[in-house]
Amino acid sequence: MTAHPDTSMGGAALDRLDRALQGVEFVTAVIGGVVIFGVMWVGVAEIVLRKLFNAPLYGQLDLIEQTMATYTLLTISYCYRKAGHIRVDLLVNHFKGRRKWIAELGASIAAFGLIVVLLPGVLHFFENAFFIGDSTINTQWPTWPSKSIPVVGFSILAVRIALEIWAYLRLVADPGATPIAVPVPSHLPEDA
């Protein structure tokens, strides 16, 4: 039987939104995984063709450059939710109860501020590439598709951090509430 989230400060709504966002994050992580798997095989093909047949794979470098954002930035929110990102655990793990949630809330607000500052810049790079017709040097492929990925990845991350801020506000108000939409490092138990 599944435990029902506690309803203090919108716990049920937070849980529903968190679960919906987890679906989006899973899909973007799968896309990133498939892309990096394909990039690996393109690299293998390029090496084999170059070494055995003296025929390098045309556009291989451009393809690698174009796909980097997909497997790094499209998967960033999934990684953040799984607490796979770089965290200041050394400091935060010394706190318990409300003090811990206040420290986590402060870190989340800082992370949200950073994303809000970065989003207009990546949107500007995307718009420039789209309207100017920017392309890669060797193959002349348009760069706007790869420059749209940071906009999507950072937008998903912004929603994740906004939910996390809501979750930490709940926990600051009621440290005994069930943690919802809060990343838990795999090396720590859920109730740490």
Side-chain angles (χ1 to χ4, degrees), residues 27-139:
V27 168
T28 57
V30 168
I31 291 168
V34 168
V35 168
I36 200 165
F37 185 74
V39 164
M40 176 192 69
W41 284 109
V42 167
V44 168
E46 203 283 329
I47 291 168
V48 168
L49 288 171
R50 185 171 23 97
K51 293 292 183 185
L52 296 181
F53 303 105
N54 196 23
L57 189 60
Y58 178 72
Q60 182 258 354
L61 183 59
D62 286 351
L63 180 68
I64 302 299
E65 290 173 348
Q66 292 285 77
T67 59
M68 278 184 192
T70 306
Y71 54 82
T72 56
L73 298 178
L74 200 57
T75 60
I76 196 168
S77 185
Y78 178 86
C79 183
Y80 189 90
R81 178 176 58 88
K82 293 291 191 178
H85 58 291
I86 298 171
R87 294 175 48 93
V88 188
D89 288 338
L90 294 173
L91 177 64
V92 173
N93 287 341
H94 289 294
F95 300 127
K96 299 290 180 210
R98 183 170 279 127
R99 290 177 65 196
K100 177 180 181 173
W101 301 130
I102 290 170
E104 291 279 15
L105 176 62
S108 295
I109 291 171
F112 188 76
L114 177 64
I115 293 302
V116 167
V117 167
L118 291 176
L119 258 172
V122 296
L123 183 59
H124 176 72
F125 287 136
F126 162 70
E127 288 174 340
N128 274 351
F130 186 79
F131 291 114
I132 294 172
D134 189 27
S135 63
T136 59
I137 294 173
N138 292 330
T139 58

